[in-house]
């Protein structure tokens, strides 16, 4: 009992000390949260993203026909229009499109997050080194980034996926490779600006290593800019995955991925309009929600960006 009392007292003292040392940071976050909450469109975007996240997280447990997410066939129920039994109708082999669209939400979120995690890891590391070390290291990394940025991202991803073979994993790898240069350029510019600041000079004077200065002192101060870019990019990453699936080099049947479903359903338009319409609406809602959220976060980080 005495140990528990001592632990709570120590924890309370630590919390009070932390609040005192970071009072200005806490106040900045309060003002940022207030600005975010004042934006109706930002709150709508946050609501859409949270709703889709819950759908992706819990969908497999409450969809009416979980077996339809795989290769199950119900030929006798093919091309049923939207109804109470099948809210989004059925496809050419009788699978429930509502079930497949909901499961596709989880796949799209997982792939979008993985793409950005890989791209940010590569981009932040290379951009941080380029911005801090400068010289030939910066030239080499930035010229490589420039070469990759000269190609349209979707075409470069298409070429890589075609070389590696179709599939979700290869599509993720291809998109990750094409996405890192944007983060490298962002971080390089931010680090070049920050490396002359007093706190960096103080860390250098204390003998801190280059990697410690980059990852312990500089990067935490540019995380908000990375978060803003990532919140806007994740929607486009999901859209790019759908584009590869639409072309036929992304997700392969029977994986319920939105782009592949839209591509398959377009051959049955206009008679069986629901096949492509509902996955397309899900993709539109996802990209729309992330764009609204990204705009709101951008205004929080830099209020001068408001128009």
């Amino acid at each position: 009992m005495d140990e528990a009392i001592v632990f709570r007292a120590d924890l309370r003292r630590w919390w009070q000390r932390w609040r005192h040392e970071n009072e200005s940071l806490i106040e900045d976050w309060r003002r940022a949260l207030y600005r975010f909450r004042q934006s109706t469109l930002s709150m709508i975007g946050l609501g859409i993203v949270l709703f889709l996240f819950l759908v992706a997280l819990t969908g497999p447990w409450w969809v009416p026909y979980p077996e339809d997410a795989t290769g199950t066939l119900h030929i006798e129920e093919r091309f049923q229009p939207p109804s109470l039994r099948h809210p989004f109708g059925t496809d050419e082999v009788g699978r429930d499109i509502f079930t497949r669209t909901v499961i596709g939400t989880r796949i799209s979120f997982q792939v979008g997050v993985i793409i950005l995690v890989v791209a940010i890891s590569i981009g932040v590391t290379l951009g941080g080194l380029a911005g801090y070390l400068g010289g030939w290291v910066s030239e080499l990394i930035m010229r490589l980034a420039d070469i990759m940025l000269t190609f349209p991202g979707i075409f470069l991803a298409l070429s890589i996926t075609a070389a590696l073979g179709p599939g979700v994993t290869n599509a993720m790898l291809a998109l990750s490779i094409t996405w890192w240069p944007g983060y490298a350029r962002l971080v390089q510019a931010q680090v070049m600006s920050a490396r002359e600041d007093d706190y960096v000079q103080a860390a250098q004077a204390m003998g801190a290593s280059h990697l410690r200065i980059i990852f312990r002192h500089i990067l935490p101060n540019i995380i908000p800019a990375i978060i803003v870019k990532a919140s806007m990019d994740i929607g486009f990453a999901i859209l790019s995955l759908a584009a590869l699936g639409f072309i036929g080099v992304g997700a392969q049947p029977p994986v319920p991925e939105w782009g592949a479903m839209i591509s398959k359903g377009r051959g049955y338009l206009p008679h069986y309009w629901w096949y492509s319409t509902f996955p397309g609406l899900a993709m539109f809602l996802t990209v729309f929600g992330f764009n609204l959220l990204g705009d709101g976060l951008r205004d929080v980080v830099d209020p001068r960006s408001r128009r």
Side-chain angles (χ1 to χ4, degrees):
M1 182 64 69
D2 293 339
E3 292 180 357
I5 294 174
V6 172
F7 175 76
R8 286 196 296 268
D10 290 341
L11 185 62
R12 190 180 304 111
R13 283 194 296 270
W14 173 86
W15 173 247
Q16 292 174 350
R17 184 170 63 254
W18 186 88
R19 289 189 60 182
H20 177 72
E21 294 174 352
N22 297 275
E23 186 174 353
S24 61
L25 178 62
I26 295 173
E27 186 60 29
D28 289 341
W29 278 104
R30 285 177 178 171
R31 287 196 295 266
L33 180 61
Y34 175 78
R35 290 196 299 267
F36 185 86
R37 292 173 60 186
Q38 291 298 109
S39 173
T40 303
L41 291 179
S42 299
M43 295 302 294
I44 292 174
L46 177 62
I48 292 173
V49 170
L50 289 178
F51 169 73
L52 292 172
F53 177 76
L54 289 176
V55 170
L57 188 66
T58 64
W61 287 285
W62 52 262
V63 290
Y65 307 98
E67 69 279 2
D68 287 0
T70 59
T72 304
L73 307 180
H74 309 284
I75 301 299
E76 69 281 0
E77 296 187 1
R78 65 193 303 265
F79 290 130
Q80 295 291 316
S83 62
L84 291 178
R85 184 177 180 183
H86 300 288
F88 290 178
T90 62
D91 61 14
E92 79 279 10
V93 292
R95 294 173 299 194
D96 183 61
I97 295 178
F98 176 75
T99 296
R100 292 178 61 78
T101 301
V102 170
I103 301 300
T105 306
R106 165 173 280 202
I107 293 174
S108 295
F109 265 70
Q110 287 178 335
V111 170
V113 170
I114 292 173
I115 289 171
L116 289 188
V117 167
V118 175
I120 290 173
S121 299
I122 298 173
V124 167
T125 301
L126 295 181
L129 292 174
Y132 185 79
L133 298 179
W136 68 268
V137 175
S138 178
E139 285 295 320
L140 177 63
I141 295 175
M142 289 300 101
R143 295 298 76 77
L144 177 61
D146 289 341
I147 291 173
M148 298 195 66
L149 288 172
T150 57
F151 299 96
I154 189 64
F155 293 121
L156 185 58
L158 176 61
S159 302
I160 296 172
T161 308
L164 297 176
V168 174
T169 302
N170 290 339
M172 287 191 301
L173 177 61
L175 290 172
S176 300
I177 292 174
T178 62
W179 227 280
W180 71 263
Y183 290 93
R185 295 199 67 85
L186 171 66
V187 172
Q188 187 248 7
Q190 296 281 341
V191 171
M192 285 185 64
S193 175
R195 69 182 180 182
E196 303 300 330
D197 290 344
D198 292 340
Y199 69 92
V200 175
Q201 299 294 329
Q204 291 174 340
M206 294 176 64
S209 65
H210 294 324
L211 291 179
R212 179 175 177 80
I213 293 174
I214 294 173
F215 292 100
R216 178 65 179 84
H217 297 283
I218 298 179
L219 285 185
N221 290 287
I222 64 177
I223 283 177
I226 297 173
I227 292 176
V228 170
K229 180 171 174 57
S231 66
M232 302 189 73
D233 280 352
I234 187 170
F236 291 109
I238 292 173
L239 189 62
S240 298
L241 174 71
L244 294 179
F246 184 86
I247 296 171
V249 297
Q252 300 298 299
V255 177
E257 192 272 324
W258 292 336
M261 293 172 65
I262 295 171
S263 177
K264 191 69 174 178
R266 64 175 174 162
Y268 300 102
L269 290 172
H271 300 292
Y272 308 114
W273 55 269
W274 56 86
Y275 197 162
S276 292
T277 299
F278 290 110
L281 287 175
M283 185 167 59
F284 165 78
L285 187 64
T286 302
V287 176
F288 181 66
F290 275 111
N291 281 350
L292 290 181
L293 179 62
D295 283 340
L297 292 176
R298 181 193 60 192
D299 292 340
V300 166
V301 173
D302 183 12
R304 294 173 298 178
S305 65
R306 290 176 179 237
R307 293 185 294 272

